[in-house]
Amino acid sequence: QFCANDPEVFVQAALLAQDYCDAIDLNLGCPQMIAKRGHYGAFLQEEWDLLQRMILLANEKLSVPITCKIRVFPDIDRTVKYAQMLERAGCQLLTVHGRTKEQKGPLAGVASWEHIQAVRKAVSIPVFANGNIQCLRDVEECIRRTGVHGVMSAEGNLHNPALFEGRNPLVWEMAEEYLEIVREYPCPLSYVRAHLFKLWHHTLQVYQQLREELAKVKTLEGIVDVNRELKLRCQEEIANQKEGEKPKEGLPFFHWICQPYTRPGPKERCRENGDGGTEKGVRGKRALEEEEDGNSELLSKNKQKKKLRNPNKSFDPSLKPKYAKCDQCGNPKGNKCVFNMCRGCCKKRAFKEVADCPGHGLLFKTKYEKSLSWQHSQRGIQTPERGERGEAEVGEMQKEAGDS
């Protein structure tokens, strides 16, 4: 699966992968802020001409099928037209996540199977559904109601990797199996932590100290030790369990059993945390809305801390200063740069041309002239013009000026 916004680059990347896979998927469903900044994922869903060109070119150049994953529009009819456009362009399988790009994190809400059903009826290519899948019964119900050819699961599958087997195994069984895979196929520890935080989610609410240890541990063996300790505590809890005791916190199973986790909405989260989770009312890890959209007063935890230190600080993007762009690369240019460039580009040009840029504190010409003057004083002769020197000597002078 690729994220992309340029037909040529997308196809070049896909050509590198096509011999190692059965299909190439274009991700048009990512709703995260990184996708907005990078201009890909769900933030391309209004640019139908671009998407058509990307899929058409992929169909022309690739030897494997091209598929797409999308999010829906609030309007069902527009979602159907969107899907039909992708089918006409050459998409050969469509996965429909029944949420809009605004439905994410605590604001995810319920996915619309009605949208998915409408798309399934309107296109002739295979359609997969995504959203509201937390157990095998959900898979069966989704297929029955929408008529799709297949079902995907993200959150539900992360909390219970045995979801599609219809089982709810002990958490440590899944965790130990996963850690064995990691030993065979090493990956960054951040990936391992992320998976274990999902698997052990409900248990880590009970054993907060072990949650902190899992977050801080620096080695795979350390992670294995934390996992082993969690297992021992759960087994001890099971041994001391009273007959007829029921799960707490309204869970369908005891916390050591793999089971779904429903992400709380903003109101539920406030009630859980009690005034936002801290004494100062600082919220959790992520903002409920993306502040960068400019329409939310809710700030991320980091920005709330900055606000506490400086009450007059504003995060309104409309109030941010607008910087002129570098003529070379598009980054903000230096306000006093003589070349209208950012510092990196300015340094390259000033060095190449043996020029000064006081705005960036780059004095290649001045240093070069001082170098010539110093060499002249050492030889006791008049400083010749730069054009009278050989190219090799000039190059040497430039290098000396650059090094200084």
Side-chain angles (χ1 to χ4, degrees):
Q1 185 184 63
F2 289 93
C3 61
N5 57 23
D6 182 290
E8 292 292 341
V9 174
F10 171 49
V11 171
Q12 288 173 20
L15 286 169
L16 297 175
Q18 68 173 356
D19 293 338
Y20 306 95
C21 59
D22 296 316
I24 296 293
D25 188 74
L26 177 60
N27 180 354
L28 302 176
C30 182
Q32 303 303 325
M33 185 50 61
I34 190 174
K36 182 176 182 179
R37 294 192 188 106
H39 192 55
Y40 59 84
F43 297 94
L44 293 179
Q45 66 179 23
E46 300 286 354
E47 301 186 37
W48 292 13
D49 288 342
L50 172 61
L51 298 181
Q52 283 180 314
R53 285 189 284 114
M54 292 176 72
I55 298 169
L56 285 168
L57 185 62
N59 261 329
E60 177 186 341
K61 301 291 186 180
L62 300 180
S63 60
V64 295
I66 175 76
T67 68
C68 298
K69 183 179 181 184
I70 64 171
R71 284 196 168 222
V72 301
F73 290 93
D75 180 62
I76 290 181
D77 290 340
R78 183 159 176 75
T79 302
V80 167
K81 291 177 181 177
Y82 181 37
Q84 290 173 330
M85 177 274 294
L86 295 173
E87 180 184 23
R88 288 193 301 272
C91 174
Q92 297 177 51
L93 183 149
L94 190 63
T95 299
V96 184
H97 187 154
R99 293 184 175 93
T100 65
K101 69 176 185 293
E102 291 76 26
Q103 288 181 276
K104 54 188 174 181
L107 301 177
V110 178
S112 170
W113 286 355
E114 289 74 22
H115 283 69
I116 299 173
Q117 181 186 39
V119 170
R120 167 67 186 92
K121 291 179 178 179
V123 299
S124 58
I125 57 175
V127 175
F128 283 11
N130 185 209
N132 303 345
I133 307 299
Q134 295 186 328
C135 62
L136 189 59
R137 288 193 305 276
D138 294 334
V139 175
E140 296 163 349
E141 179 66 11
C142 181
I143 292 174
R144 186 186 68 80
R145 286 178 50 184
T146 64
V148 292
H149 301 82
V151 171
M152 289 188 179
S153 173
E155 291 278 338
N157 203 43
L158 287 170
H159 287 279
N160 178 15
L163 185 155
F164 286 99
E165 291 184 349
R167 298 191 299 120
N168 293 90
L170 295 166
V171 172
W172 63 79
E173 290 181 3
M174 293 289 95
E176 288 171 350
E177 182 179 338
Y178 170 65
L179 289 171
E180 285 300 316
I181 294 172
V182 172
R183 281 195 176 97
E184 187 174 357
Y185 305 101
C187 65
L189 287 183
S190 59
Y191 299 1
V192 182
R193 282 197 199 92
H195 275 291
L196 292 184
F197 273 126
K198 294 287 187 182
L199 283 169
W200 284 111
H201 174 85
H202 298 291
T203 299
L204 291 173
Q205 310 307 308
V206 178
Y207 302 115
Q208 290 284 339
Q209 181 183 354
L210 289 176
R211 179 185 180 86
E212 294 177 9
E213 289 185 22
L214 180 58
K216 295 177 181 177
V217 70
K218 301 295 185 182
T219 64
L220 179 59
E221 288 308 314
I223 289 179
V224 171
D225 290 340
V226 174
N227 186 70
R228 187 182 298 114
E229 181 63 24
L230 282 164
K231 174 183 176 179
L232 292 173
R233 294 202 186 187
C234 289
Q235 289 176 328
E236 183 180 350
E237 195 174 334
I238 292 171
N240 297 329
Q241 197 173 11
K242 297 178 181 179
E243 187 177 351
E245 188 174 343
K246 295 183 178 180
K248 299 177 182 179
E249 306 297 334
L251 296 177
F253 305 104
F254 290 101
H255 61 78
W256 54 80
I257 295 175
C258 290
Q259 57 192 297
Y261 165 64
T262 302
R263 194 189 298 268
K267 293 182 180 179
E268 291 84 353
R269 177 168 291 198
C270 288
R271 285 198 296 270
E272 285 180 4
N273 294 339
D275 193 24
T278 70
E279 294 178 1
K280 296 181 180 180
V282 178
R283 291 177 55 253
K285 182 179 178 183
R286 296 189 184 278
L288 302 182
E289 299 269 4
E290 301 293 353
E291 314 79 68
E292 297 187 25
D293 289 342
N295 58 359
S296 174
E297 297 179 357
L298 297 170
L299 300 175
S300 67
K301 185 175 180 179
N302 187 43
K303 290 185 177 179
Q304 286 198 40
K305 288 180 180 178
K306 291 181 180 179
K307 190 79 171 177
L308 287 171
R309 293 195 296 266
N310 181 6
N312 297 322
K313 189 172 182 64
S314 173
F315 296 99
D316 185 348
S318 65
L319 300 179
K320 290 183 179 179
K322 303 298 181 183
Y323 295 102
K325 292 184 178 180
C326 168
D327 291 347
Q328 188 70 26
C329 68
N331 287 326
K333 73 169 187 177
N335 290 332
K336 298 180 180 179
C337 178
V338 298
F339 298 117
N340 292 319
M341 292 180 173
C342 65
R343 194 178 195 282
C345 296
C346 175
K347 186 175 182 179
K348 292 177 183 177
R349 180 168 174 179
F351 177 75
K352 182 178 180 180
E353 299 182 6
V354 194
D356 287 349
C357 178
H360 279 124
L362 302 173
L363 304 175
F364 291 112
K365 180 180 178 181
T366 299
K367 291 178 180 179
Y368 172 73
E369 291 175 346
K370 286 183 178 180
S371 175
L372 291 179
S373 177
W374 179 82
Q375 289 196 15
H376 168 69
S377 65
Q378 292 295 103
R379 296 174 182 174
I381 59 175
Q382 184 180 359
T383 304
E385 294 297 327
R386 177 182 172 185
E388 297 176 6
R389 290 185 174 272
E391 290 299 324
E393 188 175 359
V394 170
E396 184 180 348
M397 296 295 122
Q398 284 181 317
K399 185 176 187 302
E400 289 178 3
D403 292 341
S404 64

